[in-house]
Amino acid sequence: QAMLFSCDELAGMLKSANQYRGGKGSDEEDMLSFWNGTGTTVLRASGVRASVEAVGLSVFGTIQPDVLAGLLKDCSDSNGKFARFDLVFQPLAVPNLPEDDSGRFDLTPMLSDLYQKIDNLPAICFEFDKQAKEYHRIFTLACHRRRIAEPKQGLRAALGKMPEKVGKLATIIHGLTCVFNDQQVTNQIPRSAVESAVKFVKFAADQIASLYTEFSDRSALAPNLTKILLAAQRQGGKISTREAQLAFNSKFRP
């Protein structure tokens, strides 16, 4: 069975690795290997405590940009920990809530039925069909060419994970699409599912690239101007010098 770890603050999980073992454990390394579906064996003096052939773990949560910047430090991401995440920057927006219940709908019955059908599926060994395989091959080649030319280590790590992310997402998209449309879930993943996965992975890569650009050099001009422009847009197109200053952390104010 797969597992979902949903936490309100990702920082707590990221900071707590080996916290209770004096830094001598392998919590972080174990979490990194679980991304690949690797199993785990826990040994004690009395014998084997746990032996799992494969761990299917997904981590979902939120984190504040400045907190993330502190964790990224110099944005080198030497062990590829952050490259395994798909980061989505949530822009500031005012929620437009309806005055009545006309916009209310409940997704629970549909999702419960969907999850039940997926849970009842037998084990399936998926593979790309011929067109999907060629499309993924070209995408993988482009990722690695860009990775070699990329000067930032953190972005190189993210680019290296993109082809595998596409494979995972395409499998999920294919399975969900078949089950939702009451179709048989075949082991052949079509090109359309791979194209959809590539779109999302590219979007997530652009998000992390913009964050790395801002966090790796807090005094860089381009990200600071972008931040001021976004703040001005929220103010109706105009912003004072004082308001622009307040948009930045005092430690990193340009």
Side-chain angles (χ1 to χ4, degrees):
Q1 294 293 324
M3 296 181 292
L4 170 66
F5 179 33
S6 180
C7 52
D8 185 47
E9 287 291 344
L10 279 172
M13 182 204 75
L14 297 171
K15 291 177 181 178
S16 63
N18 302 328
Q19 181 176 344
Y20 305 104
R21 306 189 197 180
K24 298 179 181 179
S26 61
D27 294 346
E28 183 168 303
E29 289 74 15
D30 290 342
M31 291 287 284
L32 296 181
S33 65
F34 293 161
W35 188 80
N36 296 315
T38 306
T40 183
T41 301
V42 180
L43 299 175
R44 293 289 185 268
S46 58
V48 177
R49 180 75 178 271
S51 180
V52 184
E53 184 176 343
V55 177
L57 174 66
S58 292
V59 178
F60 178 84
T62 57
I63 189 169
Q64 295 294 327
D66 283 341
V67 176
L68 178 60
L71 294 171
L72 287 171
K73 296 178 181 177
D74 62 352
C75 297
S76 62
D77 195 18
S78 55
N79 62 1
K81 174 169 60 179
F82 294 101
R84 287 165 165 81
F85 284 91
D86 295 307
L87 300 177
V88 177
F89 183 76
Q90 181 67 36
L92 289 175
V94 177
N96 184 17
L97 302 176
E99 296 180 359
D100 52 26
D101 289 339
S102 60
R104 184 185 180 92
F105 52 90
D106 185 8
L107 291 174
T108 305
M110 183 198 72
L111 291 175
S112 297
D113 179 63
L114 195 63
Y115 296 156
Q116 188 63 51
K117 289 177 179 177
I118 291 172
D119 192 52
N120 291 334
L121 289 173
I124 302 173
C125 182
F126 291 99
E127 63 179 8
F128 293 153
D129 67 18
K130 186 175 181 180
Q131 288 184 328
K133 191 177 294 184
E134 178 61 16
Y135 183 82
H136 186 262
R137 185 190 69 81
I138 295 172
F139 174 75
T140 301
L141 189 61
C143 286
H144 287 296
R145 281 175 175 168
R146 184 178 166 190
R147 180 175 63 87
I148 292 171
E150 174 57 53
K152 295 185 179 70
Q153 164 60 29
L155 287 178
R156 287 202 300 271
L159 287 163
K161 295 293 183 187
M162 285 173 67
E164 189 172 350
K165 283 183 177 182
V166 167
K168 293 181 177 186
L169 281 170
T171 305
I172 295 170
I173 292 169
H174 171 60
L176 282 172
T177 302
C178 292
V179 171
F180 185 81
N181 293 317
D182 292 322
Q183 299 172 349
Q184 181 184 359
V185 182
T186 64
N187 72 324
Q188 293 281 307
I189 299 174
R191 173 171 170 156
S192 58
V194 180
E195 288 176 344
S196 297
V198 166
K199 282 183 181 180
F200 179 79
V201 168
K202 281 184 175 180
F203 168 79
D206 288 341
Q207 297 280 285
I208 191 68
S210 65
L211 289 174
Y212 278 179
T213 300
E214 180 179 351
F215 295 158
S216 60
D217 185 0
R218 288 289 188 139
S219 62
L221 183 61
N224 286 327
L225 288 177
T226 301
K227 198 167 186 178
I228 293 172
L229 283 171
L230 290 172
Q233 288 176 354
R234 291 195 293 269
Q235 298 278 16
K238 293 182 180 180
I239 189 170
S240 67
T241 304
R242 177 64 177 164
E243 289 169 333
Q245 286 181 326
L246 294 175
F248 293 88
N249 185 308
S250 59
K251 293 182 181 178
F252 307 107
R253 186 174 293 157

